[in-house]
Amino acid sequence: MTLNINKTLNDDHSELTVTLEGRLDTITSTQLDEELEGSIEGVKHIILDLKDLTYISSAGLRVLLKYQTAMKKNGMIIKNVRKEINSVLNITGFNKFLNIE
């Protein structure tokens, strides 16, 4: 399975919304990293919408951590986390330092 990444930049280019659909694994995490790397210049906030993300691996978690750190604590918000993904975030302790709504 693949990862579909949809990005929307608001009018003043300060907020980037990224919707993920599919699997964030070893292969697709590189794809997400490259997409975000090329998109965050000048962006103050990233909103990651995970409502259609069905799987996340440790490689995917590393990408989330990288951009949470890059955007500082309040610069990245993760929304619409499915029960299965939330369970992974809780078990790994990532829920303690990711900004999840």
Side-chain angles (χ1 to χ4, degrees):
M1 182 135 181
T2 61
L3 179 69
N4 294 319
I5 303 169
N6 296 307
K7 300 183 297 186
T8 307
L9 198 55
N10 72 346
D11 290 338
D12 68 0
H13 300 276
S14 65
E15 185 174 276
L16 176 67
T17 300
V18 181
T19 304
L20 303 179
E21 178 185 354
R23 296 173 55 90
L24 184 53
D25 56 26
T26 304
I27 296 178
T28 60
S29 63
T30 303
Q31 177 188 353
L32 177 60
D33 190 22
E34 290 170 357
E35 287 279 343
L36 290 176
E37 185 85 31
S39 301
I40 63 168
E41 178 89 25
V43 170
K44 291 182 175 63
H45 301 283
I46 296 174
I47 296 172
L48 281 180
D49 187 336
L50 305 186
K51 71 177 184 218
D52 294 320
L53 189 69
T54 58
Y55 173 83
I56 189 166
S57 72
S58 59
L61 291 172
R62 279 192 298 276
V63 174
L64 296 185
L65 177 60
K66 175 182 177 178
Y67 288 95
Q68 181 75 63
T69 303
M71 298 303 294
K72 309 296 185 249
K73 179 64 178 166
N74 296 318
M76 188 172 86
I77 299 169
I78 300 173
K79 293 186 171 189
N80 300 319
V81 180
R82 296 167 71 114
K83 185 173 72 169
E84 303 87 1
I85 304 299
N86 198 46
S87 178
V88 172
L89 296 175
N90 289 338
I91 289 169
T92 59
F94 272 63
N95 63 321
K96 291 181 173 78
F97 49 84
L98 293 176
N99 192 0
I100 302 170
E101 289 186 354

